[in-house]
Amino acid sequence: EMDGRELCRRVRRTPSFAGVRLLVLSALIESDAACVAPDFEADCCLSKQSQLDRLFEQIEALVTR
């Protein structure tokens, strides 16, 4: 079994996924400020308690990069 961090590491190390954007939703943190994307090797990290509008904002930001 693997956790989200390991999944992100594997995606980042797989050449065929080079252009994939990663947005992590974590239940292990209580606020978005507590989640640091580089810790997950992700482009963005949000708490699962985030509001939907915040999630949509981040998805839009990742898609338009």
Side-chain angles (χ1 to χ4, degrees):
E1 297 194 26
M2 78 175 87
D3 62 13
R5 285 189 174 123
E6 181 60 24
L7 175 65
C8 289
R9 283 187 203 102
R10 289 184 187 194
V11 168
R12 291 293 185 226
R13 287 166 179 72
T14 304
S16 60
F17 292 128
V20 170
R21 304 270 192 256
L22 295 173
L23 186 152
V24 172
L25 290 174
S26 178
L28 301 177
I29 59 169
E30 292 186 24
S31 73
D32 296 340
C35 187
V36 181
D39 289 346
F40 283 87
E41 296 188 41
D43 297 292
C44 179
C45 186
L46 297 173
S47 165
K48 283 190 176 178
Q49 290 78 28
S50 294
Q51 298 295 318
L52 275 180
D53 58 337
R54 176 87 169 115
L55 174 62
F56 293 143
E57 287 172 8
Q58 290 302 313
I59 291 171
E60 185 174 348
L62 290 174
V63 170
T64 58
R65 273 192 194 172

Short mmCIF file of all heavy atoms in Angstrom, two decimals:
data_model
loop_
_atom_site.label_atom_id
_atom_site.label_comp_id
_atom_site.label_asym_id
_atom_site.label_seq_id
_atom_site.Cartn_x
_atom_site.Cartn_y
_atom_site.Cartn_z
N GLU A 1 0.84 -1.18 0.00
CA GLU A 1 0.00 0.00 0.00
C GLU A 1 0.88 1.24 0.00
O GLU A 1 1.99 1.21 0.48
CB GLU A 1 -0.90 -0.01 1.22
CG GLU A 1 -1.86 -1.18 1.21
CD GLU A 1 -2.96 -1.01 2.23
OE1 GLU A 1 -3.29 0.13 2.59
OE2 GLU A 1 -3.48 -2.04 2.67
N MET A 2 0.33 2.33 -0.51
CA MET A 2 1.10 3.57 -0.53
C MET A 2 0.21 4.73 -0.12
O MET A 2 -1.00 4.70 -0.30
CB MET A 2 1.72 3.80 -1.90
CG MET A 2 0.78 4.34 -2.95
SD MET A 2 1.61 4.73 -4.49
CE MET A 2 1.55 3.15 -5.29
N ASP A 3 0.84 5.75 0.43
CA ASP A 3 0.10 6.95 0.81
C ASP A 3 0.22 7.99 -0.31
O ASP A 3 0.85 7.75 -1.35
CB ASP A 3 0.61 7.51 2.14
CG ASP A 3 2.07 7.93 2.11
OD1 ASP A 3 2.67 8.03 1.01
OD2 ASP A 3 2.62 8.18 3.19
N GLY A 4 -0.41 9.14 -0.11
CA GLY A 4 -0.42 10.18 -1.13
C GLY A 4 0.96 10.71 -1.47
O GLY A 4 1.25 11.02 -2.63
N ARG A 5 1.81 10.85 -0.46
CA ARG A 5 3.17 11.33 -0.72
C ARG A 5 3.92 10.38 -1.65
O ARG A 5 4.60 10.80 -2.57
CB ARG A 5 3.93 11.51 0.59
CG ARG A 5 3.49 12.72 1.32
CD ARG A 5 4.41 13.01 2.50
NE ARG A 5 4.00 14.28 3.08
CZ ARG A 5 3.66 14.44 4.33
NH1 ARG A 5 3.68 13.45 5.15
NH2 ARG A 5 3.30 15.64 4.76
N GLU A 6 3.80 9.10 -1.38
CA GLU A 6 4.49 8.11 -2.22
C GLU A 6 3.91 8.11 -3.63
O GLU A 6 4.65 8.00 -4.61
CB GLU A 6 4.40 6.72 -1.61
CG GLU A 6 5.11 5.64 -2.41
CD GLU A 6 6.60 5.88 -2.60
OE1 GLU A 6 7.22 6.59 -1.77
OE2 GLU A 6 7.16 5.35 -3.59
N LEU A 7 2.61 8.24 -3.76
CA LEU A 7 2.00 8.32 -5.08
C LEU A 7 2.56 9.51 -5.85
O LEU A 7 2.95 9.39 -7.02
CB LEU A 7 0.48 8.44 -4.97
CG LEU A 7 -0.24 8.66 -6.30
CD1 LEU A 7 -0.09 7.45 -7.21
CD2 LEU A 7 -1.70 8.98 -6.08
N CYS A 8 2.63 10.67 -5.21
CA CYS A 8 3.18 11.86 -5.87
C CYS A 8 4.63 11.63 -6.29
O CYS A 8 5.03 11.99 -7.39
CB CYS A 8 3.10 13.07 -4.94
SG CYS A 8 1.44 13.70 -4.70
N ARG A 9 5.43 11.04 -5.42
CA ARG A 9 6.83 10.75 -5.75
C ARG A 9 6.92 9.86 -6.99
O ARG A 9 7.72 10.10 -7.89
CB ARG A 9 7.53 10.07 -4.58
CG ARG A 9 7.92 11.00 -3.49
CD ARG A 9 8.77 10.29 -2.43
NE ARG A 9 8.65 11.02 -1.19
CZ ARG A 9 7.90 10.68 -0.16
NH1 ARG A 9 7.23 9.56 -0.17
NH2 ARG A 9 7.83 11.44 0.90
N ARG A 10 6.11 8.85 -7.03
CA ARG A 10 6.15 7.92 -8.18
C ARG A 10 5.71 8.61 -9.46
O ARG A 10 6.30 8.37 -10.52
CB ARG A 10 5.29 6.69 -7.89
CG ARG A 10 5.89 5.80 -6.85
CD ARG A 10 5.08 4.55 -6.65
NE ARG A 10 5.59 3.78 -5.53
CZ ARG A 10 5.27 2.53 -5.29
NH1 ARG A 10 4.43 1.89 -6.09
NH2 ARG A 10 5.78 1.91 -4.25
N VAL A 11 4.67 9.43 -9.38
CA VAL A 11 4.22 10.16 -10.57
C VAL A 11 5.33 11.08 -11.06
O VAL A 11 5.63 11.14 -12.25
CB VAL A 11 2.93 10.96 -10.27
CG1 VAL A 11 2.63 11.95 -11.39
CG2 VAL A 11 1.76 10.00 -10.07
N ARG A 12 5.97 11.81 -10.15
CA ARG A 12 7.04 12.74 -10.52
C ARG A 12 8.24 12.03 -11.13
O ARG A 12 8.97 12.60 -11.92
CB ARG A 12 7.49 13.56 -9.31
CG ARG A 12 6.46 14.54 -8.85
CD ARG A 12 6.27 15.62 -9.90
NE ARG A 12 5.37 16.65 -9.40
CZ ARG A 12 4.37 17.16 -10.09
NH1 ARG A 12 4.14 16.76 -11.31
NH2 ARG A 12 3.60 18.06 -9.57
N ARG A 13 8.47 10.80 -10.78
CA ARG A 13 9.62 10.07 -11.28
C ARG A 13 9.31 9.22 -12.52
O ARG A 13 10.18 8.49 -13.01
CB ARG A 13 10.20 9.19 -10.17
CG ARG A 13 10.93 10.04 -9.14
CD ARG A 13 11.21 9.29 -7.87
NE ARG A 13 11.93 10.07 -6.89
CZ ARG A 13 11.44 11.07 -6.17
NH1 ARG A 13 10.20 11.45 -6.34
NH2 ARG A 13 12.18 11.72 -5.29
N THR A 14 8.09 9.31 -13.02
CA THR A 14 7.70 8.55 -14.20
C THR A 14 7.68 9.50 -15.40
O THR A 14 6.85 10.40 -15.47
CB THR A 14 6.30 7.93 -14.01
OG1 THR A 14 6.33 7.11 -12.82
CG2 THR A 14 5.91 7.08 -15.20
N PRO A 15 8.62 9.32 -16.35
CA PRO A 15 8.73 10.24 -17.48
C PRO A 15 7.43 10.44 -18.26
O PRO A 15 7.15 11.55 -18.73
CB PRO A 15 9.81 9.60 -18.35
CG PRO A 15 10.64 8.80 -17.40
CD PRO A 15 9.65 8.29 -16.37
N SER A 16 6.62 9.42 -18.40
CA SER A 16 5.38 9.56 -19.18
C SER A 16 4.36 10.47 -18.49
O SER A 16 3.39 10.89 -19.11
CB SER A 16 4.77 8.19 -19.47
OG SER A 16 4.46 7.51 -18.28
N PHE A 17 4.58 10.80 -17.21
CA PHE A 17 3.69 11.71 -16.48
C PHE A 17 4.32 13.09 -16.31
O PHE A 17 3.90 13.87 -15.45
CB PHE A 17 3.35 11.16 -15.10
CG PHE A 17 2.49 9.93 -15.12
CD1 PHE A 17 2.88 8.79 -14.43
CD2 PHE A 17 1.30 9.90 -15.82
CE1 PHE A 17 2.10 7.65 -14.43
CE2 PHE A 17 0.51 8.76 -15.84
CZ PHE A 17 0.91 7.63 -15.14
N ALA A 18 5.32 13.42 -17.11
CA ALA A 18 6.09 14.66 -16.93
C ALA A 18 5.22 15.92 -16.89
O ALA A 18 5.51 16.84 -16.15
CB ALA A 18 7.13 14.78 -18.03
N GLY A 19 4.15 15.99 -17.65
CA GLY A 19 3.33 17.19 -17.69
C GLY A 19 2.12 17.18 -16.78
O GLY A 19 1.32 18.11 -16.79
N VAL A 20 2.00 16.15 -15.96
CA VAL A 20 0.83 16.01 -15.09
C VAL A 20 0.92 16.99 -13.93
O VAL A 20 1.95 17.15 -13.30
CB VAL A 20 0.73 14.56 -14.56
CG1 VAL A 20 -0.32 14.43 -13.48
CG2 VAL A 20 0.44 13.60 -15.69
N ARG A 21 -0.18 17.68 -13.66
CA ARG A 21 -0.29 18.56 -12.51
C ARG A 21 -0.91 17.76 -11.36
O ARG A 21 -1.85 17.01 -11.55
CB ARG A 21 -1.19 19.75 -12.81
CG ARG A 21 -0.79 20.56 -14.01
CD ARG A 21 0.16 21.66 -13.59
NE ARG A 21 0.35 22.60 -14.68
CZ ARG A 21 1.43 22.64 -15.42
NH1 ARG A 21 2.39 21.79 -15.21
NH2 ARG A 21 1.56 23.54 -16.37
N LEU A 22 -0.36 17.95 -10.17
CA LEU A 22 -0.86 17.22 -9.01
C LEU A 22 -1.45 18.17 -7.98
O LEU A 22 -0.80 19.10 -7.53
CB LEU A 22 0.27 16.43 -8.34
CG LEU A 22 0.88 15.31 -9.16
CD1 LEU A 22 2.09 14.74 -8.46
CD2 LEU A 22 -0.14 14.23 -9.42
N LEU A 23 -2.70 17.92 -7.63
CA LEU A 23 -3.39 18.65 -6.57
C LEU A 23 -3.73 17.62 -5.50
O LEU A 23 -4.43 16.66 -5.77
CB LEU A 23 -4.65 19.31 -7.11
CG LEU A 23 -5.40 20.22 -6.15
CD1 LEU A 23 -6.16 21.28 -6.92
CD2 LEU A 23 -6.32 19.48 -5.24
N VAL A 24 -3.22 17.84 -4.32
CA VAL A 24 -3.43 16.91 -3.21
C VAL A 24 -4.53 17.43 -2.30
O VAL A 24 -4.53 18.60 -1.93
CB VAL A 24 -2.13 16.73 -2.40
CG1 VAL A 24 -2.37 15.93 -1.14
CG2 VAL A 24 -1.05 16.09 -3.25
N LEU A 25 -5.47 16.57 -1.97
CA LEU A 25 -6.47 16.85 -0.94
C LEU A 25 -6.12 15.96 0.25
O LEU A 25 -6.11 14.74 0.12
CB LEU A 25 -7.89 16.53 -1.43
CG LEU A 25 -8.45 17.44 -2.49
CD1 LEU A 25 -9.80 16.90 -2.97
CD2 LEU A 25 -8.59 18.85 -1.98
N SER A 26 -5.82 16.57 1.37
CA SER A 26 -5.35 15.80 2.52
C SER A 26 -6.29 15.93 3.71
O SER A 26 -6.70 17.03 4.07
CB SER A 26 -3.95 16.28 2.92
OG SER A 26 -3.52 15.58 4.06
N ALA A 27 -6.59 14.81 4.31
CA ALA A 27 -7.37 14.81 5.55
C ALA A 27 -6.46 14.96 6.76
O ALA A 27 -6.93 15.15 7.88
CB ALA A 27 -8.15 13.50 5.67
N LEU A 28 -5.17 14.90 6.54
CA LEU A 28 -4.21 14.95 7.64
C LEU A 28 -3.91 16.37 8.11
O LEU A 28 -3.23 16.55 9.11
CB LEU A 28 -2.90 14.28 7.22
CG LEU A 28 -3.03 12.82 6.80
CD1 LEU A 28 -1.68 12.28 6.34
CD2 LEU A 28 -3.58 11.98 7.94
N ILE A 29 -4.42 17.35 7.40
CA ILE A 29 -4.19 18.74 7.78
C ILE A 29 -5.53 19.42 8.03
O ILE A 29 -6.55 19.01 7.49
CB ILE A 29 -3.39 19.51 6.71
CG1 ILE A 29 -4.15 19.50 5.38
CG2 ILE A 29 -2.00 18.95 6.57
CD1 ILE A 29 -3.59 20.42 4.35
N GLU A 30 -5.52 20.45 8.85
CA GLU A 30 -6.76 21.14 9.17
C GLU A 30 -6.97 22.41 8.37
O GLU A 30 -8.09 22.89 8.26
CB GLU A 30 -6.80 21.44 10.66
CG GLU A 30 -6.91 20.17 11.49
CD GLU A 30 -7.09 20.46 12.96
OE1 GLU A 30 -7.57 21.55 13.30
OE2 GLU A 30 -6.75 19.59 13.76
N SER A 31 -5.89 22.97 7.82
CA SER A 31 -6.04 24.19 7.02
C SER A 31 -5.12 24.13 5.82
O SER A 31 -4.10 23.44 5.84
CB SER A 31 -5.72 25.43 7.85
OG SER A 31 -4.33 25.50 8.07
N ASP A 32 -5.48 24.85 4.77
CA ASP A 32 -4.67 24.86 3.56
C ASP A 32 -3.26 25.38 3.84
O ASP A 32 -2.30 24.95 3.24
CB ASP A 32 -5.32 25.73 2.48
CG ASP A 32 -6.65 25.16 2.03
OD1 ASP A 32 -6.90 23.96 2.25
OD2 ASP A 32 -7.45 25.91 1.47
N ALA A 33 -3.14 26.30 4.79
CA ALA A 33 -1.84 26.87 5.12
C ALA A 33 -0.90 25.83 5.72
O ALA A 33 0.32 25.97 5.63
CB ALA A 33 -2.01 28.03 6.09
N ALA A 34 -1.44 24.78 6.30
CA ALA A 34 -0.61 23.75 6.94
C ALA A 34 -0.07 22.74 5.94
O ALA A 34 0.80 21.95 6.27
CB ALA A 34 -1.41 23.03 8.01
N CYS A 35 -0.57 22.75 4.74
CA CYS A 35 -0.16 21.79 3.72
C CYS A 35 0.81 22.47 2.77
O CYS A 35 0.44 23.42 2.09
CB CYS A 35 -1.38 21.28 2.96
SG CYS A 35 -0.99 19.95 1.81
N VAL A 36 2.02 21.98 2.73
CA VAL A 36 3.03 22.56 1.85
C VAL A 36 3.20 21.63 0.66
O VAL A 36 3.61 20.48 0.81
CB VAL A 36 4.37 22.73 2.61
CG1 VAL A 36 5.42 23.34 1.70
CG2 VAL A 36 4.16 23.57 3.86
N ALA A 37 2.88 22.13 -0.53
CA ALA A 37 2.92 21.32 -1.73
C ALA A 37 4.28 20.64 -1.96
O ALA A 37 4.30 19.48 -2.35
CB ALA A 37 2.50 22.15 -2.94
N PRO A 38 5.42 21.32 -1.75
CA PRO A 38 6.69 20.62 -1.98
C PRO A 38 6.87 19.37 -1.10
O PRO A 38 7.54 18.43 -1.50
CB PRO A 38 7.74 21.67 -1.64
CG PRO A 38 7.05 22.97 -1.91
CD PRO A 38 5.62 22.73 -1.49
N ASP A 39 6.26 19.36 0.08
CA ASP A 39 6.33 18.17 0.92
C ASP A 39 5.72 16.96 0.22
O ASP A 39 6.11 15.83 0.47
CB ASP A 39 5.59 18.38 2.25
CG ASP A 39 6.32 19.34 3.17
OD1 ASP A 39 7.51 19.65 2.92
OD2 ASP A 39 5.70 19.79 4.14
N PHE A 40 4.75 17.23 -0.63
CA PHE A 40 4.07 16.16 -1.37
C PHE A 40 4.58 16.02 -2.80
O PHE A 40 4.12 15.19 -3.53
CB PHE A 40 2.56 16.44 -1.43
CG PHE A 40 1.83 16.13 -0.16
CD1 PHE A 40 1.72 17.08 0.84
CD2 PHE A 40 1.23 14.90 0.02
CE1 PHE A 40 1.03 16.80 2.01
CE2 PHE A 40 0.54 14.61 1.19
CZ PHE A 40 0.44 15.57 2.18
N GLU A 41 5.53 16.88 -3.19
CA GLU A 41 5.96 16.97 -4.59
C GLU A 41 4.75 17.24 -5.48
O GLU A 41 4.62 16.70 -6.58
CB GLU A 41 6.71 15.72 -5.03
CG GLU A 41 8.01 15.51 -4.27
CD GLU A 41 8.86 14.39 -4.82
OE1 GLU A 41 8.95 14.26 -6.05
OE2 GLU A 41 9.41 13.64 -4.01
N ALA A 42 3.85 18.07 -4.99
CA ALA A 42 2.62 18.40 -5.71
C ALA A 42 2.65 19.87 -6.14
O ALA A 42 3.44 20.66 -5.66
CB ALA A 42 1.41 18.16 -4.81
N ASP A 43 1.76 20.20 -7.07
CA ASP A 43 1.64 21.58 -7.52
C ASP A 43 0.80 22.40 -6.56
O ASP A 43 0.95 23.60 -6.46
CB ASP A 43 1.02 21.63 -8.92
CG ASP A 43 1.91 20.94 -9.94
OD1 ASP A 43 2.99 21.47 -10.21
OD2 ASP A 43 1.52 19.86 -10.42
N CYS A 44 -0.09 21.73 -5.87
CA CYS A 44 -1.00 22.40 -4.94
C CYS A 44 -1.46 21.39 -3.90
O CYS A 44 -1.57 20.20 -4.18
CB CYS A 44 -2.20 22.93 -5.71
SG CYS A 44 -3.40 23.76 -4.69
N CYS A 45 -1.72 21.89 -2.71
CA CYS A 45 -2.16 21.02 -1.63
C CYS A 45 -3.26 21.74 -0.85
O CYS A 45 -3.09 22.89 -0.45
CB CYS A 45 -0.98 20.71 -0.74
SG CYS A 45 -1.32 19.52 0.54
N LEU A 46 -4.37 21.07 -0.66
CA LEU A 46 -5.50 21.64 0.06
C LEU A 46 -5.99 20.67 1.13
O LEU A 46 -5.86 19.46 0.98
CB LEU A 46 -6.67 21.93 -0.89
CG LEU A 46 -6.47 22.94 -1.99
CD1 LEU A 46 -7.68 22.95 -2.91
CD2 LEU A 46 -6.21 24.32 -1.43
N SER A 47 -6.57 21.22 2.16
CA SER A 47 -7.22 20.41 3.17
C SER A 47 -8.53 19.87 2.60
O SER A 47 -9.19 20.54 1.80
CB SER A 47 -7.52 21.29 4.39
OG SER A 47 -8.44 20.66 5.24
N LYS A 48 -8.91 18.69 3.00
CA LYS A 48 -10.20 18.15 2.55
C LYS A 48 -11.37 18.98 3.08
O LYS A 48 -12.47 18.89 2.57
CB LYS A 48 -10.36 16.69 2.96
CG LYS A 48 -9.57 15.75 2.09
CD LYS A 48 -9.93 14.30 2.36
CE LYS A 48 -9.19 13.41 1.40
NZ LYS A 48 -9.48 11.99 1.66
N GLN A 49 -11.10 19.80 4.09
CA GLN A 49 -12.14 20.67 4.63
C GLN A 49 -12.27 21.98 3.85
O GLN A 49 -13.09 22.83 4.18
CB GLN A 49 -11.87 20.97 6.11
CG GLN A 49 -12.05 19.79 7.03
CD GLN A 49 -10.87 18.82 6.99
OE1 GLN A 49 -9.75 19.19 6.72
NE2 GLN A 49 -11.15 17.55 7.25
N SER A 50 -11.49 22.15 2.79
CA SER A 50 -11.54 23.37 1.99
C SER A 50 -12.93 23.55 1.38
O SER A 50 -13.63 22.59 1.09
CB SER A 50 -10.53 23.30 0.84
OG SER A 50 -9.23 23.29 1.33
N GLN A 51 -13.26 24.80 1.16
CA GLN A 51 -14.51 25.11 0.48
C GLN A 51 -14.39 24.75 -1.00
O GLN A 51 -13.31 24.80 -1.57
CB GLN A 51 -14.83 26.60 0.63
CG GLN A 51 -15.02 27.06 2.06
CD GLN A 51 -16.25 26.41 2.68
OE1 GLN A 51 -17.29 26.29 2.05
NE2 GLN A 51 -16.12 25.98 3.93
N LEU A 52 -15.52 24.40 -1.60
CA LEU A 52 -15.50 24.01 -3.02
C LEU A 52 -14.97 25.12 -3.91
O LEU A 52 -14.26 24.84 -4.87
CB LEU A 52 -16.91 23.60 -3.47
CG LEU A 52 -17.29 22.16 -3.21
CD1 LEU A 52 -18.71 21.89 -3.71
CD2 LEU A 52 -16.32 21.19 -3.86
N ASP A 53 -15.29 26.36 -3.63
CA ASP A 53 -14.82 27.45 -4.48
C ASP A 53 -13.29 27.52 -4.47
O ASP A 53 -12.66 27.79 -5.48
CB ASP A 53 -15.45 28.79 -4.12
CG ASP A 53 -15.21 29.21 -2.68
OD1 ASP A 53 -14.95 28.36 -1.83
OD2 ASP A 53 -15.31 30.43 -2.42
N ARG A 54 -12.67 27.24 -3.34
CA ARG A 54 -11.20 27.21 -3.25
C ARG A 54 -10.63 26.08 -4.10
O ARG A 54 -9.65 26.27 -4.81
CB ARG A 54 -10.78 27.03 -1.78
CG ARG A 54 -9.31 26.90 -1.58
CD ARG A 54 -8.66 28.27 -1.44
NE ARG A 54 -7.29 28.08 -0.99
CZ ARG A 54 -6.23 28.41 -1.72
NH1 ARG A 54 -6.38 28.99 -2.89
NH2 ARG A 54 -5.03 28.19 -1.27
N LEU A 55 -11.26 24.93 -4.06
CA LEU A 55 -10.84 23.81 -4.89
C LEU A 55 -10.94 24.17 -6.37
O LEU A 55 -10.00 23.96 -7.14
CB LEU A 55 -11.68 22.57 -4.58
CG LEU A 55 -11.44 21.35 -5.47
CD1 LEU A 55 -10.01 20.84 -5.34
CD2 LEU A 55 -12.43 20.25 -5.11
N PHE A 56 -12.07 24.74 -6.78
CA PHE A 56 -12.25 25.11 -8.18
C PHE A 56 -11.24 26.17 -8.61
O PHE A 56 -10.73 26.13 -9.74
CB PHE A 56 -13.68 25.59 -8.43
CG PHE A 56 -14.71 24.50 -8.30
CD1 PHE A 56 -15.95 24.77 -7.75
CD2 PHE A 56 -14.45 23.20 -8.70
CE1 PHE A 56 -16.90 23.77 -7.62
CE2 PHE A 56 -15.39 22.20 -8.58
CZ PHE A 56 -16.63 22.49 -8.03
N GLU A 57 -10.92 27.12 -7.74
CA GLU A 57 -9.91 28.14 -8.05
C GLU A 57 -8.56 27.49 -8.33
O GLU A 57 -7.87 27.85 -9.28
CB GLU A 57 -9.74 29.11 -6.88
CG GLU A 57 -10.86 30.08 -6.68
CD GLU A 57 -10.70 30.87 -5.38
OE1 GLU A 57 -9.64 30.76 -4.72
OE2 GLU A 57 -11.64 31.60 -5.03
N GLN A 58 -8.20 26.54 -7.50
CA GLN A 58 -6.91 25.88 -7.66
C GLN A 58 -6.87 25.02 -8.92
O GLN A 58 -5.86 24.98 -9.62
CB GLN A 58 -6.55 25.05 -6.42
CG GLN A 58 -6.25 25.89 -5.22
CD GLN A 58 -5.09 26.84 -5.48
OE1 GLN A 58 -4.05 26.46 -6.01
NE2 GLN A 58 -5.27 28.09 -5.12
N ILE A 59 -7.95 24.34 -9.21
CA ILE A 59 -8.01 23.53 -10.44
C ILE A 59 -7.86 24.45 -11.65
O ILE A 59 -7.08 24.17 -12.56
CB ILE A 59 -9.32 22.73 -10.51
CG1 ILE A 59 -9.32 21.63 -9.44
CG2 ILE A 59 -9.51 22.13 -11.91
CD1 ILE A 59 -10.65 20.93 -9.27
N GLU A 60 -8.58 25.56 -11.66
CA GLU A 60 -8.48 26.50 -12.77
C GLU A 60 -7.05 27.03 -12.92
O GLU A 60 -6.52 27.13 -14.03
CB GLU A 60 -9.45 27.66 -12.60
CG GLU A 60 -9.46 28.59 -13.78
CD GLU A 60 -10.53 29.67 -13.67
OE1 GLU A 60 -11.41 29.58 -12.80
OE2 GLU A 60 -10.47 30.61 -14.47
N ALA A 61 -6.43 27.36 -11.80
CA ALA A 61 -5.05 27.85 -11.85
C ALA A 61 -4.10 26.81 -12.43
O ALA A 61 -3.21 27.15 -13.21
CB ALA A 61 -4.60 28.27 -10.45
N LEU A 62 -4.28 25.56 -12.07
CA LEU A 62 -3.41 24.50 -12.59
C LEU A 62 -3.64 24.25 -14.06
O LEU A 62 -2.71 24.01 -14.82
CB LEU A 62 -3.63 23.21 -11.79
CG LEU A 62 -3.13 23.22 -10.36
CD1 LEU A 62 -3.54 21.93 -9.65
CD2 LEU A 62 -1.62 23.40 -10.29
N VAL A 63 -4.89 24.31 -14.49
CA VAL A 63 -5.22 24.05 -15.89
C VAL A 63 -4.71 25.16 -16.81
O VAL A 63 -4.27 24.90 -17.92
CB VAL A 63 -6.75 23.87 -16.05
CG1 VAL A 63 -7.15 23.84 -17.52
CG2 VAL A 63 -7.19 22.59 -15.35
N THR A 64 -4.72 26.39 -16.31
CA THR A 64 -4.31 27.51 -17.16
C THR A 64 -2.81 27.78 -17.12
O THR A 64 -2.34 28.68 -17.82
CB THR A 64 -5.06 28.80 -16.76
OG1 THR A 64 -4.81 29.10 -15.38
CG2 THR A 64 -6.56 28.65 -16.99
N ARG A 65 -2.06 27.03 -16.36
CA ARG A 65 -0.60 27.19 -16.34
C ARG A 65 0.01 26.85 -17.66
O ARG A 65 -0.31 25.97 -18.34
CB ARG A 65 0.03 26.30 -15.27
CG ARG A 65 0.10 26.91 -13.94
CD ARG A 65 0.98 26.06 -13.09
NE ARG A 65 0.84 26.41 -11.69
CZ ARG A 65 1.36 25.75 -10.71
NH1 ARG A 65 2.06 24.68 -10.95
NH2 ARG A 65 1.21 26.13 -9.48
#
